[in-house]
Amino acid sequence: MKMIDRYRSHREATRRARAIERALRQASSPAVRDEIRIIAQRYYG
């Protein structure tokens, strides 16, 4: 993998992680947070 590809991949992973964290902070209820966590776990394996 080229250096630029590694950089792009890392940047995209960071964006996804920040989006998940933001969604968890903005979730109105524990049930919604649980759903977000389940979806994130499915995505990240």
Side-chain angles (χ1 to χ4, degrees), residues 3-42:
M3 185 67 173
I4 192 73
D5 292 334
R6 241 184 293 153
Y7 173 76
R8 286 180 181 147
S9 175
H10 181 265
R11 185 176 59 187
E12 185 60 34
T14 302
R15 284 182 182 161
R16 281 192 301 266
R18 267 190 264 136
I20 291 168
E21 289 171 3
R22 189 170 40 249
L24 286 170
R25 277 196 307 271
Q26 294 175 355
S28 57
S29 71
V32 174
R33 285 187 208 104
D34 289 343
E35 287 294 322
I36 293 168
R37 285 188 187 107
I38 290 167
I39 292 166
Q41 286 175 349
R42 270 192 222 143

